Amino acid sequence: MFSFFRKKAPVAAPAPTTAPSGPPASPAPSAPSAPSAQSRFPGFPASSASSAPDIFAAADTPPKVDVGWFARLREGLRKTGGSLAAVFTGTRIDAALYEELEAALLMADAGSPATQALLEELKRRVKDTQATDPAAVKGLLVEVLASQLAPLQKPLVVGEHRPTVMMVVGVNGAGKTTSIGKLTRHLAEGGCKVLLAAADTFRAAAREQLAVWADRAQVQIVSQEGADPAAVTFDAVSAGRARGCDVVIADTAGRLPTQTHLMEELKKIQRVIGRAQEGAPHEVLLVVDGNTGQNALAQVKAFDAALGLTGLVVTKLDGTAKGGVLAAIARWGAEQGRVVPVYFIGVGEKLEDLQPFDAREFAEALLR
């Protein structure tokens, strides 16, 4: 999927300013950096931690298909894809076929705007190609869907800033801490020196869960029970700069976007990170549960309005018939003129079940 193709010197960051009020968190003792390992994550090739690459991004060459991942993705999307594929089991291309397809897309939570856009483009291509059987229409739908989803496909770049600071947000139960753990492991195996900030100070299990992932990946973590979340993130970013880390990832407490006071706290954390390093956070990632369908789109809109999202991680696509929500997110981005890319999708609990999003691969797995 992704591969390393260039290096870029990081932007020099100015010294941190005064820490916010409240009890500061004490960084945990330094842990040894991750050893060199063959990366199982195509976006982050393996290299030694002492010579961590400056920047990772998508290569211009066509990606190699990971057959194992494609099979898992296809199986994970079976519930969504099954209802769509059933539309093309007949022998005629008529109004009934398009009506059934429209109903299947709406049931998959693609949403009305995305569904109409898909159908209009599909009909145009059917007319242009003079397709005569449902199987050919299905193949055209793969092309149309891949085209509609293409704006969501964008690589997560690290190394342009050192450290690259990521703030991760989301509602409770979306898989936020687990996704952070998987991403950390992949980055560490790719040669990046990572530091985690346990800024979810209200839920003890969150700190413990993050500490387990930190131990597995052999990365450092800044954590303090009961501390102010903004103070924890400030200390973590400052420690990351002092220790020469490539990436600092801040976990935050899960919250609903309707909880105004908690959303304000996220804004405070974002501001404080900016005080610790100018221009940070460089990434504000929202983790959304693919099972929630159109509610996932509502979360994207609310968190984007509050924080200005830079990317998404869509989890739990293996247990849902609502995978069409990615089309809804793409359409919403097209309508507002600013797409929030989907960096990663998840279809299981295993480390390798979190992978970079590829629009064509997703469309193929969904409909083939």
Side-chain angles (χ1 to χ4, degrees):
M1 298 194 188
F2 294 169
S3 59
F4 173 79
F5 84 107
R6 67 189 176 100
K7 287 187 177 183
K8 183 175 181 180
V11 177
T17 57
T18 306
S21 59
S26 300
S30 299
S33 57
S36 175
Q38 181 62 39
S39 176
R40 290 175 289 174
F41 197 57
F44 306 99
S47 69
S48 63
S50 60
S51 58
D54 290 308
I55 188 168
F56 293 103
D60 296 329
T61 55
K64 293 181 179 179
V65 177
D66 183 339
V67 178
W69 160 248
F70 185 80
R72 294 195 303 277
L73 178 61
R74 187 174 182 179
E75 176 61 24
L77 295 173
R78 183 169 52 84
K79 290 184 180 180
T80 302
S83 61
L84 294 173
V87 174
F88 302 99
T89 56
T91 59
R92 299 177 58 186
I93 302 174
D94 52 16
L97 182 146
Y98 290 117
E99 288 176 4
E100 290 178 24
L101 179 57
E102 179 179 14
L105 287 168
L106 291 173
M107 287 295 292
D109 268 5
S112 182
T115 296
Q116 293 306 313
L118 285 167
L119 288 175
E120 288 174 9
E121 179 61 16
L122 178 62
K123 290 177 181 179
R124 185 189 68 79
R125 295 198 186 195
V126 168
K127 182 179 179 180
D128 290 347
T129 60
Q130 299 182 347
T132 58
D133 67 273
V137 177
K138 182 180 177 182
L140 290 174
L141 181 58
V142 172
E143 299 295 326
V144 172
L145 182 59
S147 176
Q148 298 275 345
L149 295 176
L152 297 180
Q153 182 179 327
K154 181 182 177 183
L156 173 65
V157 176
V158 299
E160 190 171 359
H161 306 276
R162 185 159 293 166
T164 296
V165 181
M166 303 180 193
M167 177 180 172
V168 184
V169 300
V171 303
N172 286 318
K176 180 167 48 64
T177 304
T178 299
S179 296
I180 290 172
K182 291 178 180 179
L183 177 57
T184 299
R185 180 79 173 269
H186 290 311
L187 286 167
E189 289 184 349
C192 284
K193 186 176 182 180
V194 183
L195 186 144
L196 300 179
D200 183 354
T201 59
F202 299 105
R203 187 169 65 96
R207 296 190 303 275
E208 295 170 359
Q209 185 181 6
L210 198 64
V212 169
W213 279 107
D215 184 62
R216 289 176 182 173
Q218 294 184 294
V219 302
Q220 304 170 45
I221 182 171
V222 173
S223 175
Q224 181 172 320
E225 183 178 0
D228 177 61
V232 173
T233 54
F234 185 94
D235 284 358
V237 174
S238 300
R241 296 177 64 194
R243 300 174 190 177
C245 293
D246 300 295
V247 181
V248 174
I249 304 177
D251 188 14
T252 61
R255 62 206 66 211
L256 295 173
T258 54
Q259 296 171 311
T260 305
H261 65 293
L262 293 178
M263 293 298 285
E264 288 299 321
E265 183 181 79
L266 283 181
K267 294 179 183 179
K268 175 186 174 183
I269 292 173
Q270 187 178 38
R271 291 194 302 270
V272 169
I273 289 175
R275 294 175 191 170
Q277 180 175 341
E278 186 176 351
H282 309 104
E283 297 286 350
V284 181
L285 308 181
L286 173 66
V287 179
V288 292
D289 181 347
N291 281 293
T292 59
Q294 283 290 303
N295 189 41
L297 176 59
Q299 292 173 32
V300 172
K301 292 178 179 179
F303 279 94
D304 184 56
L307 302 169
L309 299 175
T310 63
L312 306 175
V313 179
V314 183
T315 64
K316 306 182 183 181
L317 284 170
D318 54 316
T320 182
K322 301 179 179 181
V325 69
L326 289 182
I329 293 172
R331 187 61 190 173
W332 168 74
E335 289 176 347
Q336 69 164 358
R338 190 183 77 83
V339 175
V340 180
V342 176
Y343 286 143
F344 306 103
I345 57 175
V347 293
E349 295 297 325
K350 297 180 181 178
L351 178 66
E352 60 270 22
D353 289 334
L354 179 72
Q355 294 286 344
F357 173 69
D358 182 283
R360 172 161 291 279
E361 187 178 62
F362 185 88
E364 291 274 357
L366 187 64
L367 291 163
R368 291 299 189 188

